[in-house]
Amino acid sequence: MTVKVLINISYFAVALLFILGLKAMSSPVTARRGIIWAGVGMVLATLVTFAWPHMGNYALMVIALALGGGLSWWSGKTVKMTDMPQMVALYNGMGGGAAAAIAAIELSRGETHAPMAAALATMGGLIGTISFSGSLVAFAKLQGIMRKTFRLPAQNAVNIILAMLTIISGFGIVAASHAATLQIFIFFALALVLGAVITMPIGGADMPVVISLFNALTGLAVGFEGYVLNNPALIIAGIVVGSAGTLLTQLMARAMNRPITNILFKPITGEAQTGGTGIAGTLKEVSALDAASMLRYAQKVIIVPGYGMAVGQAQHKVKEMSVLLEEAGVGVKFAIHPVAGRMPGHMNVLLAEAGVSYDKIFDLEEINGEFAQTDVALVIGANDVVNPAARTEKSSPIYGMPVLNVDHAHTVIVIKRGKGAGYSGIENALFYADNTRMLYGTAQQVVNEVIKHIKELSS
Ligand code: NAP
């Protein structure tokens, strides 16, 4: 059996591992297993690279692997759960950058390329570079390095002109089949600027969707470069990432009711966020003791976690409280909004980590009808995902986004630290409603106090 056949068999195994891994990631029960399978696939694909004939400088490859592997191991171990979106943005940007680097090297080799190979290398280079610079801007914004959203005058016109110039210069490279270094340089420089300029006006609330979109684009770029290098593993990995990323982008955009075109070309701006109608009513505070007795003597409670539960690392206390309530005969369910927190599945992961059983966790569509028959809806650090303005205020920037109908419950208790707005920066009338009581404090500390009082009431 030749080395080439062995390499191809290994690549087939890699493809299977990627696909099975991705499938397993679709359920929280099997997600860990899925990550391990896909990781094994990645290690195998990397090792197989060494078997390719004429690979060149093995020492450089080992140094690059040690550096990349070491850095990602360290950052993966130390990253906070709430910082995960920017971490994904950074890794994703590196993938796009790697695909673009392959394109740049291939195009500047000085060899004449077949039109198909030149076209795919150029398209991969374009998409990979946009994904690279766009993801770095996304990272800088989420990390707080770049605080403002910069919107140029006539932003959309600038985007279109830049895109046209980049595409024309790309056509020039393909037509030349053996392009000059300056031509290639200009093309990549334009693509770099384009990625950054498109991303800069996009606000934080839309950023996770944009990251997912760049992730899909990176997959596509990698797939194209796989074709250019005649490397099946790259093609398959690219297609898998590209299609999974596209589906995720669609799902997130639908859950926020923001078409992708609006996210890219009509970003929610600071002015829009502060707009909206005045809110009637007052904020009514409740003590931890009163909240505990409302919960303890309810028949049915639905807990709605949000970003604040994640920041406050309150998931273990929340689980402890839910067990106490169940022991006291209260029916407890958890309601999860698809974009609660800062990444898809954020709340599911935290509740799974705390050991909340999956049969108590319900998606928006499954549980929304139940709030009307619920004694207490307990909102823990959630804001936008329970904002009734999304249903009722046509002028609201989040109008049309499906939300959890907690306001339909008999009583709503909201745990948050103060008057902080949600991710989209808009006010929430829920907090001022007649049936809402505010329980102020950080999630973990407040839930801890409530636990203490439930125990006292039950003893
Ligand atoms: P949110 O709207 O960001 O609100 C979180 C609330 O938690 C804030 O109002 C804050 O109020 C409170 N909070 C912060 N730290 C806290 C702590 N330590 N203890 C208690 N409360 C705390 O969160 P969300 O309702 O989960 O909504 C998610 C947002 O992210 C949506 O706008 C969604 O569109 C966006 N988004 C999410 C995803 C995703 O994939 N999950 C993707 C794209 C966009 P105080 O400052 O007063 O405490």
Side-chain angles (χ1 to χ4, degrees):
M1 210 185 290
T2 63
V3 175
K4 195 73 202 279
V5 174
L6 269 178
I7 289 176
N8 282 335
I9 292 174
S10 310
Y11 279 163
F12 184 68
V14 167
L16 275 182
L17 283 165
F18 283 165
I19 293 165
L20 289 176
L22 205 63
K23 175 81 189 78
M25 281 181 224
S26 62
S27 154
V29 186
T30 51
R32 277 168 201 257
R33 194 189 316 154
I35 289 173
I36 291 171
W37 285 351
V40 171
M42 196 56 86
V43 171
L44 184 58
T46 310
L47 290 179
V48 170
T49 314
F50 284 85
W52 274 74
H54 322 298
M55 264 319 278
N57 195 330
Y58 290 104
L60 266 185
M61 285 165 66
V62 171
I63 292 172
L65 277 176
L67 274 178
L71 272 175
S72 54
W73 182 271
W74 171 78
S75 51
K77 283 260 174 220
T78 52
V79 68
K80 282 193 285 180
M81 201 65 178
T82 44
D83 290 343
M84 206 54 109
Q86 49 266 51
M87 170 110 160
V88 174
L90 196 59
Y91 283 0
N92 178 50
M94 295 304 128
I102 293 174
I105 289 168
E106 277 303 309
L107 292 171
S108 56
R109 248 183 217 283
E111 288 170 14
T112 305
H113 286 93
M116 186 61 155
L120 287 180
T122 310
M123 278 197 314
L126 171 68
I127 300 169
T129 311
I130 291 176
S131 178
F132 173 66
S133 57
S135 298
L136 288 191
V137 171
F139 166 78
K141 284 187 165 203
L142 292 176
Q143 190 68 18
I145 300 169
M146 188 187 275
R147 291 209 175 270
K148 273 175 75 99
T149 48
F150 300 96
R151 197 165 167 79
L152 300 169
Q155 174 80 45
N156 288 347
V158 174
N159 289 355
I160 290 170
I161 293 168
L162 257 176
M164 297 299 285
L165 287 175
T166 318
I167 290 169
I168 290 168
S169 96
F171 268 119
I173 292 177
V174 179
S177 94
H178 177 181
T181 310
L182 181 65
Q183 205 177 353
I184 295 171
F185 178 81
I186 291 175
F187 166 72
F188 279 102
L190 281 170
L192 263 182
V193 176
L194 179 62
V197 167
I198 292 176
T199 319
M200 276 182 334
I202 298 172
D206 286 331
M207 211 41 105
V209 188
V210 174
I211 292 170
S212 175
L213 179 68
F214 284 144
N215 182 38
L217 291 179
T218 291
L220 200 61
V222 168
F224 285 161
E225 300 314 326
Y227 179 89
V228 176
L229 293 181
N230 197 15
N231 184 317
L234 274 188
I235 300 177
I236 294 165
I239 292 171
V240 170
V241 172
S243 45
T246 307
L247 280 176
L248 182 60
T249 310
Q250 272 183 345
L251 284 174
M252 285 164 85
R254 206 174 298 153
M256 296 169 73
N257 194 38
R258 298 260 300 137
I260 289 292
T261 43
N262 280 16
I263 290 173
L264 291 177
F265 304 116
K266 281 192 207 161
I268 298 177
T269 62
E271 305 88 70
Q273 287 165 16
T274 49
T277 50
I279 291 173
T282 52
L283 294 166
K284 294 163 283 295
E285 195 173 343
V286 69
S287 68
L289 174 60
D290 286 347
S293 66
M294 285 177 192
L295 290 163
R296 164 69 180 77
Y297 297 110
Q299 283 189 339
K300 183 170 177 178
V301 169
I302 298 181
I303 300 176
V304 179
Y307 175 66
M309 184 188 82
V311 192
Q313 284 291 300
Q315 62 273 23
H316 294 282
K317 286 286 161 199
V318 172
K319 152 87 197 281
E320 191 184 334
M321 179 184 65
S322 73
V323 171
L324 279 177
L325 288 174
E326 280 174 336
E327 284 169 0
V330 184
V332 181
K333 289 183 176 178
F334 289 81
I336 307 237
H337 190 284
V339 292
R342 290 294 179 266
M343 60 188 168
H346 199 168
M347 296 300 124
N348 301 73
V349 171
L350 291 178
L351 294 181
E353 180 200 318
V356 174
S357 80
Y358 301 121
D359 58 1
K360 298 200 187 314
I361 300 176
F362 296 87
D363 290 337
L364 182 135
E365 316 81 57
E366 293 173 317
I367 205 159
N368 240 0
E370 289 191 31
F371 282 104
Q373 300 92 47
T374 299
D375 301 305
V376 184
L378 177 62
V379 177
I380 306 179
N383 191 336
D384 293 340
V385 300
V386 293
N387 192 336
R391 283 196 323 262
T392 54
E393 276 307 321
K394 282 216 163 96
S395 62
S396 170
I398 60 165
Y399 181 71
M401 168 170 143
V403 284
L404 288 162
N405 297 332
V406 293
D407 52 322
H408 291 175
H410 298 177
T411 306
V412 185
I413 301 176
V414 178
I415 297 177
K416 70 200 292 281
R417 295 163 309 172
K419 288 189 173 182
Y423 201 45
S424 67
I426 58 174
E427 265 292 0
N428 193 338
L430 171 77
F431 306 151
Y432 298 81
D434 287 344
N435 60 338
T436 300
R437 297 292 175 271
M438 304 299 291
L439 181 50
Y440 292 116
T442 56
Q444 197 182 121
Q445 163 241 322
V446 170
V447 175
N448 208 18
E449 275 178 49
V450 171
I451 288 176
K452 204 180 73 193
H453 292 304
I454 293 175
K455 281 183 180 162
E456 286 163 6
L457 291 167
S458 297
S459 62

